[in-house]
């Protein structure tokens, strides 16, 4: 793609004689940036509500032969800020981050506050033993281990493929 195509100059290259060239240039630049940045938005974990910011933490769910392992990234949070509940095939993770920084020095005062909450639910199959689920929190990472019910651990076996007639 050429610079002429990027700047939409191929369509109408005649200047508008009745307008200010600076205003025309600014309008073209605004259109260029608007087109370029139209698909860019804030990160998925950063959403703005009316009164506060909500956080959507990243979650990984991994299954192996013995258990389901759920990992949740909660940077800047402590275990006391997070609540985990299990019921009817769901693991629900809720939390709220409250942070306030004050700084007073001679000649100025600075205060910053940030608040945010989240609520995530993960559906697990019937073979998950939610009664024996365990949670650990370290360095902003919440790790949940949900074992599979006894006798439901799958053993791999080869299935013969028959030729259809």
């Amino acid at each position: 793609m050429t610079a002429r195509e990027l700047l939409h100059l191929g369509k109408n290259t005649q200047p508008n004689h009745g307008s200010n060239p600076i205003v025309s240039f600014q309008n073209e630049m605004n259109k260029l940036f608007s087109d370029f940045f139209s698909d860019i938005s804030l990160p998925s974990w950063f959403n703005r509500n009316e009164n506060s910011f909500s956080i959507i933490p990243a979650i990984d769910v991994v299954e192996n032969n013995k258990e389901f392992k759920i990992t949740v990234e909660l940077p800047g949070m402590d275990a006391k800020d997070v609540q985990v509940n299990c019921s009817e095939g769901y693991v629900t993770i809720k939390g709220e981050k409250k942070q306030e920084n004050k700084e007073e020095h001679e000649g100025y005062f600075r205060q910053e506050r940030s608040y945010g909450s989240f609520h995530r639910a993960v559906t697990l199959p019937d073979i998950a033993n939610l009664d024996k689920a365990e949670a650990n929190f370290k360095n902003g990472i919440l790790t949940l281990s949900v074992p599979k019910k006894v006798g439901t651990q799958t053993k791999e076996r080869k299935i013969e493929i028959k030729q259809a007639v």
Side-chain angles (χ1 to χ4, degrees), residues 31-46:
K31 183 171 178 15
L32 176 68
F33 278 94
S34 175
D35 290 346
F36 182 77
F37 290 109
S38 64
D39 293 335
I40 296 176
S41 61
L42 292 172
S44 63
W45 50 266
F46 189 73

Side-chain angles (χ1 to χ4, degrees), residues 32-163:
L32 176 68
F33 278 94
S34 175
D35 290 346
F36 182 77
F37 290 109
S38 64
D39 293 335
I40 296 176
S41 61
L42 292 172
S44 63
W45 50 266
F46 189 73
N47 288 337
R48 176 80 170 122
N49 288 340
E50 290 178 15
N51 299 324
S52 66
F53 289 100
S54 65
I55 303 163
I56 303 174
I59 292 182
D60 290 329
V61 180
V62 177
E63 177 183 6
N64 61 32
N65 287 337
K66 297 179 182 178
E67 67 184 355
F68 297 94
K69 198 168 272 288
I70 302 168
T71 308
V72 186
E73 295 178 16
L74 302 168
M77 296 183 77
D78 294 321
K80 66 180 175 16
D81 301 326
V82 181
Q83 180 181 1
V84 179
N85 295 318
C86 297
S87 68
E88 300 178 15
Y90 288 95
V91 174
T92 305
I93 305 158
K94 297 186 231 182
E96 186 171 3
K97 182 178 182 179
K98 296 178 184 178
Q99 189 174 12
E100 188 171 316
N101 294 323
K102 288 184 183 180
E103 197 176 320
E104 290 185 51
H105 292 286
E106 192 174 316
Y108 77 91
F109 173 78
R110 182 182 66 83
Q111 182 172 359
E112 293 182 23
R113 294 184 190 123
S114 64
Y115 302 93
S117 62
F118 69 92
H119 179 107
R120 297 289 305 259
V122 178
T123 307
L124 293 175
D126 293 336
I127 61 172
N129 190 350
L130 295 175
D131 294 331
K132 300 214 175 178
E134 294 181 356
N136 293 305
F137 194 92
K138 184 177 180 181
N139 297 330
I141 304 290
L142 173 67
T143 304
L144 298 163
S145 297
V146 183
K148 292 183 178 179
K149 292 180 182 173
V150 177
T152 59
Q153 283 87 358
T154 57
K155 293 184 179 178
E156 189 175 324
R157 70 180 184 100
K158 185 175 180 178
I159 300 173
E160 183 181 337
I161 303 171
K162 297 178 183 177
Q163 185 69 32

Side-chain angles (χ1 to χ4, degrees), residues 4-17 19 24 28 31:
R4 179 175 285 282
E5 292 169 335
L6 283 173
L7 294 174
H8 305 288
L9 294 176
K11 296 178 180 130
N12 183 8
T13 58
Q14 297 299 319
N16 185 351
H17 295 291
S19 68
S24 295
E28 284 295 319
K31 183 171 178 15

